[in-house]
DNA sequence: AGGAACGTTGACGGT
DNA sequence: GACCGTCAACGTTCC
């Protein structure tokens, strides 16, 4: 009998893996577990070292389980799946290709392309796939919602809680006895074997990382990485370790063992500044690549609710803030990403406001590399780059700052940066949340702007997050920790941190740009209601561009130059610190935190005072 | 799950 | 005990 390829894509687990069970039921021992390192995703523009290492840890864990319990191993292929999968189907005498569905349109397209290749070559191989990445089958949710995805969380909640059947119970991982596999002839059992090209690659540092990318045929110039980045990448301290084993352990520690915590969980009350330990579960990296089953998570929460009811007698928190609702957000956004055309771009996306964002590379870089001069923003972005995870409300803060709050940079560029750095990067969730934060889609109260100073103060008045992730500020007095440019020079000297030398001036004056951006948002929104955005024409004109975005998975890979790229060019540092401390009691702090200013500085070349610094700061160098 | 200004309320302690 | 200033906490409104 011919065999089956079981293709792991997401769903990097043996528990609750319906497709895997189906493969074993249909082809017995001859099920070949495969993973494909696809350069379309595994490349430095889209995947940073931390996420790559996380992925490889997940693969190693699968490999280990397959070896120790199932007499098999993970077979890692490299290249374009539409090429390498049909090749191996042919080479290994395979007549079943089995996998768990991926919801993203570009992945669906790839799968269709493979089916087309098989059909064209008159292959006898049949393709079997099952849903499993989400709690409910997206097709089922659509069916019970008149064929359309809900567009608000409230309607999604009604769908989940009032109309949908309870989700399928998670199924256990196959036992060793139930699943004993064999390998194709050319695949050695041990990866120590000479010339084993199927093993999980070892990537410990940037050198290995570049070598791997080259082996996938990634163009050399995409692999350049500067020395500072290399050092930071090598020293990365990812917040969690990858693998199904770790995922299951974490679920029991963070969820199963804490029923009262789970039942009283309210997302807005969790602190974005907490990092040791963080205030939410950090199960997202595992959910993103399926090393934990969302249904296992779902029923773990339900069990907690039940235990809480019996023990504490009070109700659990409700959607949209409860822990269960966090899974609903994932479910909701995944469904939207699957169903709404051009979800990965502004242009051609019917739920996305058309806003004339800039694509200022210098501002983008300042933000991504922690050179904004706003300690909270720089601290969160450092946490993101080094640990691969940040709290949801920290994501709010930095995403708002990059887009409508301060820098007016396109949300797609922020989305791409998150894609690179987040361990939990997920196409649908990332796009949806960036639209949310930039007030482009789902959320429209654009006047709700996060302050990079007031917001972190609420949960971290001492600035411990900043002191940890931006150590150059560790001795800055509490009073100035979020706005060190206001510290008198004597204080800066004492703290060993001179603003403009050891730590940059802020790239913008928050209040000034916030107000200017509010006007731009009003204008952009006004154009929609005035009908000045002509969907028929605009979409027709831009749709080819948007199509390109979708084809390239919606991530990076395309050049779209907005007419509004007015902020580019090199900036010079001209702002200077004040020399004397302001009298705490009598002088109101001006600049960043004062009442709306009426005196707008006219001459950006004049000597900086607090009053006119806003305009000058806009020109602060970004080559810090 | 925004922030700031401004207004109201009520606790507290001093006169 | 009435009266008053102060202040924090909370509510409302606007952008
Ligand atoms: C701009 C921006 C980009 C984001 N990009 C991603 C992304 O690429 N991948 C990703 O998984 N999450 C993303 N999120 C959502 C959210 O911030 C993370 O899912 C969450 O912080 C993960 O931490 P946790 O597992 O501790 O969350 P918990 O609070 O413990 O929640 C449990 C699970 O619910 C899901 N969840 C929670 N919040 C959301 C949400 N807002 N939307 C969708 N699902 C949610 C996650 O799978 C999470 O693991 C983004 C949010 C913002 C504001």
């Amino acid at each position: 009998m011919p065999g089956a390829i079981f293709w792991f894509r997401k769903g990097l687990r043996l528990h609750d893996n319906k497709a895997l069970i189906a493969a074993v039921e249909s082809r017995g021992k001859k099920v070949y577990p495969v993973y494909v390192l696809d350069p379309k995703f595994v490349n430095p523009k889209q995947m940073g070292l931390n996420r790559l290492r996380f992925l490889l840890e997940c693969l190693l864990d699968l490999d280990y389980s397959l070896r120790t319990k199932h007499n098999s191993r993970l077979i890692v292929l490299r290249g374009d799946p539409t090429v390498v999968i049909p090749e191996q189907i042919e080479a290994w005498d395979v007549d079943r290709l089995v996998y768990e569905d991926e919801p993203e349109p570009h992945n669906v397209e790839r799968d269709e392309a493979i089916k087309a290749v098989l059909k064209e070559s008159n292959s006898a191989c049949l393709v079997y796939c099952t849903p499993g990445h989400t709690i409910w089958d997206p097709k089922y949710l659509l069916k019970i919602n008149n064929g359309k995805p809900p567009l608000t969380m409230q309607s999604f909640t009604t769908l989940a809680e009032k109309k949908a059947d309870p989700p399928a119970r998670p199924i256990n991982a196959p036992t060793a006895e139930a699943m004993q596999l064999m390998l194709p002839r050319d695949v050695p059992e041990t990866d120590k074997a000479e010339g084993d090209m199927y093993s999980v690659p070892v990537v410990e540092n940037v050198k290995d990382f570049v070598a791997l990318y080259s082996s996938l045929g990634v163009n050399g110039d995409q692999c350049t990485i500067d020395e500072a980045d290399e050092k930071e990448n090598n020293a990365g301290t990812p917040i969690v370790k990858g693998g199904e084993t770790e995922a299951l352990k974490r679920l029991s520690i963070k969820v199963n063992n804490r029923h009262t915590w789970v039942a009283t969980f309210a997302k807005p009350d969790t602190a974005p500044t907490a990092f040791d330990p963080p205030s939410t579960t950090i199960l997202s990296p595992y959910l993103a690549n399926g090393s934990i089953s969302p249904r296992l998570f779902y029923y773990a929460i339900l069990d907690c609710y039940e235990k809480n009811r019996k023990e504490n007698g009070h109700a659990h928190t409700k959607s949209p803030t409860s822990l269960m609702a966090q899974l609903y957000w994932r479910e909701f956004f995944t469904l939207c990403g699957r169903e709404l055309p051009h979800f990965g771009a502004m242009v051609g996306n019917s739920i996305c406001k058309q806003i004339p964002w800039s694509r200022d590379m210098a501002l983008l870089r300042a933000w991504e590399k922690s050179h904004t001069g706003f300690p909270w923003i720089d601290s969160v972005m450092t946490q993101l780059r080094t640990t691969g995870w940040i709290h949801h409300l920290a994501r709010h803060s930095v995403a708002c700052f990059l887009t409508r709050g301060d820098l007016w940079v396109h949300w797609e560029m922020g989305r791409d940066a998150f894609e690179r750095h987040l361990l939990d990067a997920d196409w649908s969730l990332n796009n949806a949340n960036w639209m949310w934060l930039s007030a482009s889609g789902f959320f429209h109260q654009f006047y709700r702007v996060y302050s990079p100073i007031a917001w972190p103060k609420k949960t971290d008045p001492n600035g411990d997050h900043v002191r940890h992730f931006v150590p150059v500020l560790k001795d800055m007095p509490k009073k100035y920790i979020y706005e060190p440019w206001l510290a008198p020079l004597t204080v800066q000297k004492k703290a060993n941190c001179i603003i403009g030398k050891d730590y940059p001036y802020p790239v913008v004056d928050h209040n000034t740009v916030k107000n200017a951006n509010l006007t731009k948002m009003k204008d952009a929104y006004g154009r929609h209601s005035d009908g000045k955005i002509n969907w028929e024409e605009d979409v027709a004109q831009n749709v080819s561009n948007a199509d390109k975005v979708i084809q390239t998975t919606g991530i990076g890979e395309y050049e779209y130059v907005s007419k509004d790229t007015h902020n580019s060019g090199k900036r010079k540092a001209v702002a200077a610190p004040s020399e004397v401390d302001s009298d705490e009691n009598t002088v109101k702090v001006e600049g960043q935190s004062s009442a709306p200013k009426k005196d707008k500085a006219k001459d950006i070349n004049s000597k900086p005072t607090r009053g006119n610094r806003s305009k000058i700061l806009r020109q602060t160098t970004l080559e810090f």
Side-chain angles (χ1 to χ4, degrees), chain A residues 267 280-284 287 326 389 392 395 424 426 433:
Chain A
K267 191 66 163 266
T280 54
T281 66
I282 319 196
L283 284 161
S284 52
L287 282 165
Q326 304 313 304
W389 181 89
H392 181 58
R395 299 182 198 201
D424 64 30
D426 176 290
N433 279 290

Side-chain angles (χ1 to χ4, degrees), chain A residues 36-87:
Chain A
V36 183
L37 288 169
D38 177 357
K40 199 162 167 185
F41 300 99
V42 184
N43 72 64
K45 274 196 179 158
Q46 283 153 248
M47 192 182 280
L49 182 56
N50 278 338
R51 186 149 63 87
L52 175 63
R53 281 193 289 214
F54 182 81
L55 169 66
L56 298 179
E57 283 162 2
C58 291
L59 299 185
L60 275 179
D61 190 54
L62 267 183
D63 186 56
Y64 181 80
S65 301
L66 289 165
R67 283 172 194 278
T68 51
K69 295 197 196 106
H70 305 289
N71 191 38
S72 182
R73 60 171 287 181
L74 189 65
I75 307 169
V76 179
L77 305 177
R78 303 174 185 211
D80 177 353
T82 65
V83 175
V84 298
I85 291 282
E87 270 173 10

Side-chain angles (χ1 to χ4, degrees), chain A residues 355-361 363 402 407-411 413 520 562-568 618:
Chain A
I355 296 168
W357 305 109
S358 93
R359 289 186 187 259
D360 187 317
M361 294 305 292
L363 288 175
L402 180 71
L407 305 187
W408 199 256
V409 170
H410 207 307
W411 63 265
M413 299 181 97
K520 292 196 229 175
S562 152
K563 288 188 193 108
D564 197 41
T565 48
H566 55 273
N567 287 324
S568 48
R618 191 64 193 73

